[in-house]
Amino acid sequence: MVGEFRWSQLASSQDGLFETSKRVVGRGEYRGLTFHEVEARSIITKSPPGTPWFGHSINAYRGCSHACSYCLVGETPILMADGRTKPIASVKIGDRVYGTQRQGNYRRLVEAEVLDHWSTVKPAYRILAGNGLVMVASGDHRFLTDRGWKHVTGSQQGADQRPHLTRNNRLLGLGPTGPAAKHDDDYRRGYLCGMIRGDGTLGTYSYPRPARTSFIVHRFRVALVDGEALERTSRFLHELGVETQEFLYTEATERHREIRAIRASRKAAVDLIRAIIEWPDQASEGWGLGFLAGFFDAEGSHGCDVLRFSNTDNTILAAVTDLLRRFGFDSVIEPERGPSRVRTVRIRGGMSEHLRFFLLVDPAITRKRSLLGTALKSNSGMNVRSVEALGFDLPMYDITTTTGDFIANGVISHNCFARPTHDYLGFNMGSDFDTQIVVKTNAVDLVRAETMPGRWPGDSIAMGTNTDPYQAAEGKYKLTQGIIEVLAERNNPFSILTKSPLVLRDIALITEASKRAEVSVSFSVATVDEDVWRRTEPGAAHPRKRLEALAKLRAAGVPGGVMMAPLLPGISDRPDQVEAVKRAAREAGAESWHPVKLHLRGMRQHFLDWLKEDSADLLQQYEEMYPERHPKPRQQKTEAPDRNQLRLL
């Protein structure tokens, strides 16, 4: 894990945040979470000048399990930027992969960088879909479908309510990817046959000399622009017993690239090459795959959504056609063109078939394998047939990329938006924020010490300013409960902001505290629009559940309100949407309601990545409202709200 224990290094430093650390892996209902139990040096934080709502805050936890989680089994092939695949378990930070970006009416393939890579252990689910697609993933992983991003599992109602895969959802992407050909002896011989017959020179020539015997010359040469195919040809020949020499064939000019070549001139070498490239009586699968790869490197082309092979030798083109049919490709021979009588074999079926060809036969030239800029159109064959629990846990992996997505076994997969508060502690801002929860185990003792009479002036303290005080970890550690008990003993005012109905566990304690000091419990309810909630808060409790919890607290006499946070321009800020939240808050008994405008401090790029997927038409508007060096929107500057000037319902 990247920077896994930078926070523990802070603990051991003189100016560190923590005194000690201990790692605890979650079990049972906390499976998938790792708790880093630390002893903090202090717990009450003074807010920067001008901070709205509160002057001091307490955060007993860092990281938040309300966020979404995901993961794929380690063998899942990820489409790399060189047109090949790599198991997700082997992907490394800095690798280049294919991601997507919305351009016009289509999502197109672009190159993306892997920013983070991590693993966890989760219950495994198997997804079966058309075209032979089989995926193993956690229930929380998200795939792109014809109806938007969907988790592997979920429910239509209750705590697990969220968009999830159902039968006949169509997965979007390129189609399932199979294993690449093995470079065994048959493959090598096939590759060399396709390469040398397609673009090589091989012969023995006799030149007469006056009054002397003829001069015999043995010649083999392959000259290529692309060094990858030249290197593979030389290496395969070496592995089969033929040594070659590389040399400069043509120097580079303003209009043409440099061409390098390999050659051999010994009779034994030329004779061996002849034997290597003989047509087999019966081509093996490995030989056929190698031949297609070699001939494509020599005479194939790929561009403008067309993959073709061109040559004047009908024998070679017939072999190409037969082999393509053997491996399940639909091809057509196009008419002769030009005085050279060149004929072309073209693979039909679009980009998914082109990718299948590249991955199956594994040509060497990366340039010809490029899919950059290709439009991703619906793959009608990838309809979900079933999602089944395997009944056991498996190691799962995920990555964060610069585009916010990647291609897993031919399906577009979603990755995490980073969480900048975790980055300071050296955790990755992806899964670590969701699963690596820093627990300040001595928080209650620190609150007791720091609020001692004579030492503490009795200022109000806010909870929930950074991470939710009632996230899953609270069910295990009960630190928020202990902090409330101390503040109640001290008659110290406090406020709570949460998204979790778990706060009702402490309703009696909070109610009693509110009788002796100014106490309030507010709920963050960004929207009551079902569609917007599913898109923007799939990991949080349903907004109606939060409002029901607010109603119970208000019925018990606890002051409370609703923060509409964040208000998303163009997504959740329509007058009718805002009014719906206000009306629902009023019905729940909220004393106050206040909209909070979106800020993107430290989160700009990650939010924009999400926006590209969800509402690409708003991307330019957001980029202008939230310029890179000015996190707050220039047109939305407001003064810090006064607690006593909130809009009353």
Side-chain angles (χ1 to χ4, degrees), residues 570-601:
I571 297 175
S572 61
D573 69 338
R574 290 199 322 265
D576 63 305
Q577 292 173 310
V578 175
E579 180 58 33
V581 176
K582 183 177 179 180
R583 183 171 56 253
R586 182 187 302 114
E587 292 170 355
E591 293 182 308
S592 61
W593 168 87
H594 190 81
V596 179
K597 292 162 184 164
L598 175 70
H599 72 76
L600 296 177
R601 291 189 293 272

Side-chain angles (χ1 to χ4, degrees), residues 399-602:
I399 58 177
T400 294
T401 71
T402 50
T403 58
D405 62 3
F406 56 96
I407 312 297
N409 201 18
V411 181
I412 303 173
S413 289
H414 196 281
N415 69 192
C416 171
F417 298 130
R419 307 295 193 269
T421 56
H422 242 35
D423 182 53
Y424 178 71
L425 298 180
F427 291 107
N428 73 63
M429 296 184 295
S431 68
D432 284 357
F433 184 86
D434 307 337
T435 62
Q436 305 292 321
I437 310 300
V438 177
V439 180
K440 303 173 186 177
T441 56
N442 62 336
V444 177
D445 291 338
L446 286 174
V447 171
R448 191 179 302 279
E450 293 178 20
T451 59
M452 286 287 292
R455 179 179 179 183
W456 177 249
D459 294 342
S460 182
I461 295 175
M463 286 176 277
T465 61
N466 186 23
T467 56
D468 199 315
Y470 282 100
Q471 60 175 287
E474 173 60 19
K476 175 179 176 65
Y477 291 95
K478 299 181 174 58
L479 295 178
T480 301
Q481 185 180 71
I483 291 169
I484 293 173
E485 289 175 347
V486 173
L487 296 178
E489 291 173 6
R490 302 274 195 252
N491 296 329
N492 201 99
F494 63 88
S495 64
I496 296 171
L497 177 63
T498 183
K499 291 184 179 182
S500 175
L502 179 60
V503 67
L504 292 179
R505 180 200 64 189
D506 299 332
I507 187 170
L509 185 61
I510 294 170
T511 302
E512 187 61 31
S514 68
K515 296 176 182 178
R516 303 198 297 268
E518 186 178 356
V519 172
S520 67
V521 178
S522 295
F523 284 81
S524 175
V525 182
T527 182
V528 292
D529 184 307
E530 194 81 12
D531 177 64
V532 175
W533 166 67
R534 290 178 184 274
R535 288 155 52 197
T536 60
E537 293 184 328
H542 195 288
R544 296 293 180 184
K545 294 293 185 183
R546 300 176 225 171
L547 291 167
E548 289 173 10
L550 172 63
K552 291 179 180 179
L553 285 160
R554 290 293 300 118
V558 178
V562 166
M563 301 282 285
M564 187 179 179
L567 194 67
L568 303 176
I571 297 175
S572 61
D573 69 338
R574 290 199 322 265
D576 63 305
Q577 292 173 310
V578 175
E579 180 58 33
V581 176
K582 183 177 179 180
R583 183 171 56 253
R586 182 187 302 114
E587 292 170 355
E591 293 182 308
S592 61
W593 168 87
H594 190 81
V596 179
K597 292 162 184 164
L598 175 70
H599 72 76
L600 296 177
R601 291 189 293 272

Side-chain angles (χ1 to χ4, degrees), residues 5 82 125 131 145 226 238 255 383 389 431 571 583:
F5 289 126
D82 64 359
Y125 291 81
N131 289 344
T145 74
D226 295 282
H238 169 75
R255 300 181 60 184
N383 287 3
S431 68
I571 297 175
R583 183 171 56 253

Side-chain angles (χ1 to χ4, degrees), residues 206-216:
S206 177
Y207 298 96
R209 294 185 293 186
R212 301 179 64 182
T213 59
S214 297
F215 179 63
I216 306 298

